[in-house]
Amino acid sequence: MKSTAVTPAGTVPRRRDRRDSRWDEHRRARREQLVAATVAAVGRHGPGVGISEIAAAAGTSKTVVYRHFADRGELHLAVCAQVAEHLLGALRQAMTSTDRPRQMVAAAIDTYLAFIEADPELYRFVVHPPVDRDPSADPIAGLSELVGEQATALVALALQQAGRPTAAAEPWGHGLVGLVRSAADRWLGSPDPMPRAELTAHLTDLAWAGLSGVVAPRTPQTQHATTEGTR
């Protein structure tokens, strides 16, 4: 069924026909192709890849790239959105692979590090936005922010299972991401990085040393001690 576009008063409404819909699909498909070409170009040229290299990877011209993306900043956002979708899906799968909080933490950390290890140049491209990108226009609010939301959900679940309040889940979750990201960035830049499994174990030990003290299930003794301490 045709849709009628909204037009100013006194003008004749314009109906969108199937040709318009086909053109919308073409634009969407073309943008996806350019995003894929950008990922390939980043792997070949590094995170500082230019539009010329991206256009060459797509087998087209810079003019065509700019026809679909206003600037490099908008193209960067599209790549980030795709990376975020894939990474968050992997994190959710890892976190639901077990119902034991410590194993959830370990699985989430290892998944994040595996993403970096598999494509370090793409990681650098994603976490370092171009100068021409408007931060306020970021539709995905930053990859770290979204990963932090997943970590918050993980901590909240552990607190719920322990019968404890979940008010601290957000700062602890985002703090956990900051810990892992800082260590991961250092690992990525190390001339002699330790194996991923070893780094995962170290970070899990450190993170769990803090979390385990606050997500341990309440017992009658700890509940009584808490009550006494608040009097």
Side-chain angles (χ1 to χ4, degrees):
M1 185 176 68
K2 295 180 179 180
S3 60
T4 302
V6 178
T7 57
T11 61
V12 178
R14 182 180 67 84
R15 293 181 179 275
R16 298 188 75 233
D17 58 25
R18 292 180 180 176
R19 288 173 298 180
D20 293 314
S21 299
R22 285 196 297 269
W23 179 239
D24 288 343
E25 178 61 22
H26 170 77
R27 282 195 294 262
R28 184 196 62 76
R30 192 58 171 145
R31 283 174 63 93
E32 289 182 355
Q33 291 169 0
L34 291 171
V35 167
T38 301
V39 172
V42 168
R44 190 173 302 121
H45 302 284
V49 64
I51 295 296
S52 296
E53 289 83 8
I54 293 171
T60 188
S61 66
K62 291 171 62 175
T63 302
V64 171
V65 176
Y66 285 124
R67 186 181 301 158
H68 294 277
F69 297 96
D71 52 33
R72 191 173 184 272
E74 186 178 333
L75 180 55
H76 180 267
L77 286 178
V79 174
C80 286
Q82 183 185 86
V83 169
E85 182 180 357
H86 292 164
L87 177 58
L88 293 178
L91 285 171
R92 292 188 189 101
Q93 183 175 357
M95 289 163 54
T96 56
S97 64
T98 177
D99 59 358
R100 302 177 65 183
R102 182 188 170 95
Q103 279 66 36
M104 286 183 188
V105 172
I109 290 174
D110 187 63
T111 297
Y112 187 81
L113 295 178
F115 159 67
I116 296 173
E117 186 177 51
D119 203 335
E121 297 302 332
L122 181 60
Y123 173 76
R124 291 187 178 100
F125 179 83
V126 167
V127 298
H128 298 294
V131 295
D132 61 348
R133 201 190 80 180
D134 179 7
S136 65
D138 190 344
I140 63 168
L143 184 60
S144 293
E145 183 72 16
L146 287 178
V147 175
E149 291 176 6
Q150 293 297 306
T152 295
L154 184 156
V155 175
L157 177 61
L159 289 169
Q160 288 172 354
Q161 290 178 344
R164 292 178 177 271
T166 60
E170 184 173 6
W172 287 342
H174 286 273
L176 178 61
V177 171
L179 162 71
V180 174
R181 177 174 171 178
S182 180
D185 286 349
R186 179 69 184 87
W187 177 62
L188 184 62
S190 173
D192 185 26
M194 67 175 61
R196 189 184 87 223
E198 187 177 344
L199 179 59
T200 296
H202 288 323
L203 293 178
T204 300
D205 286 344
L206 180 59
W208 190 248
L211 288 174
S212 61
V214 292
V215 300
R218 287 188 182 277
T219 65
Q221 289 80 8
T222 59
Q223 290 175 346
H224 177 72
T226 301
T227 303
E228 290 292 328
T230 58
R231 287 180 180 176

